[in-house]
Amino acid sequence: MKFNEINILIVEDDGDLREILSIFVKKIGLNVFSVANGKEALDCLKENKIDLVFSDIQMPIMSGIDLLKAIKSDSENKTLVLLTTGHAIFTQKDVIEMGALGLVSKPFSFDLFSDLIKEIINKNFNK
């Protein structure tokens, strides 16, 4: 799969942060979709081929954890999920055991975000 064919879904209830993250994803050459909560994310996943979901955990309507569980409940779905949170409710180990790639603590630098996305893509899609 070519780098510029990879689709990332940003799930973040903070509209400003969602927009900034989307800009960074576009800048590194990936296709981006963005939504405000887990329910909207599930709708987007039904209509689009999404390779990686970057989701906040605490959101109204449907949390990132519930979204992760919904994605992982479908054994046909190979979408990767990376979670983020500003509150230490879950640990890295917790989310990995639930099927996520990991957990990014807020606040994080956008350079770290870009590097992490590139690393995930190179490890999982460039084979």
Side-chain angles (χ1 to χ4, degrees):
M1 178 180 296
K2 292 182 181 162
F3 196 80
N4 64 351
E5 296 174 338
I6 294 172
N7 296 324
I8 294 188
L9 173 60
I10 305 293
V11 188
E12 171 61 59
D13 59 319
D14 178 326
D16 292 337
L17 180 56
R18 185 173 62 245
E19 186 174 336
I20 291 167
L21 291 172
S22 296
I23 290 167
F24 268 84
V25 169
K26 287 176 189 172
K27 271 188 174 182
I28 60 176
L30 303 171
N31 303 310
V32 65
F33 297 82
S34 63
V35 297
N37 61 61
K39 183 182 179 316
E40 290 177 8
L42 288 179
D43 292 341
C44 184
L45 284 161
K46 286 178 191 168
E47 298 188 15
N48 302 283
K49 183 195 173 295
I50 302 296
D51 302 297
L52 173 63
V53 172
F54 183 73
S55 177
D56 190 10
I57 288 179
Q58 290 190 284
M59 297 178 291
I61 302 173
M62 181 182 210
S63 74
I65 295 295
D66 290 336
L67 172 61
L68 172 64
K69 289 177 181 176
I71 291 170
K72 294 303 172 182
S73 71
D74 177 2
S75 62
E76 299 293 313
N77 192 331
K78 303 299 180 208
T79 303
L80 301 175
V81 179
L82 181 63
L83 296 173
T84 186
T85 188
H87 309 283
I89 298 169
F90 296 95
T91 66
Q92 188 81 244
K93 183 178 180 220
D94 292 335
V95 299
I96 290 170
E97 286 176 355
M98 288 184 241
L101 291 173
L103 179 66
V104 178
S105 295
K106 290 180 185 175
F108 52 84
S109 78
F110 294 108
D111 288 336
L112 168 77
F113 171 73
S114 296
D115 290 346
L116 187 56
I117 296 299
K118 289 176 193 173
E119 180 183 318
I120 289 168
I121 287 167
N122 288 330
K123 182 178 179 186
N124 293 281
F125 299 103
N126 292 337
K127 295 181 178 175

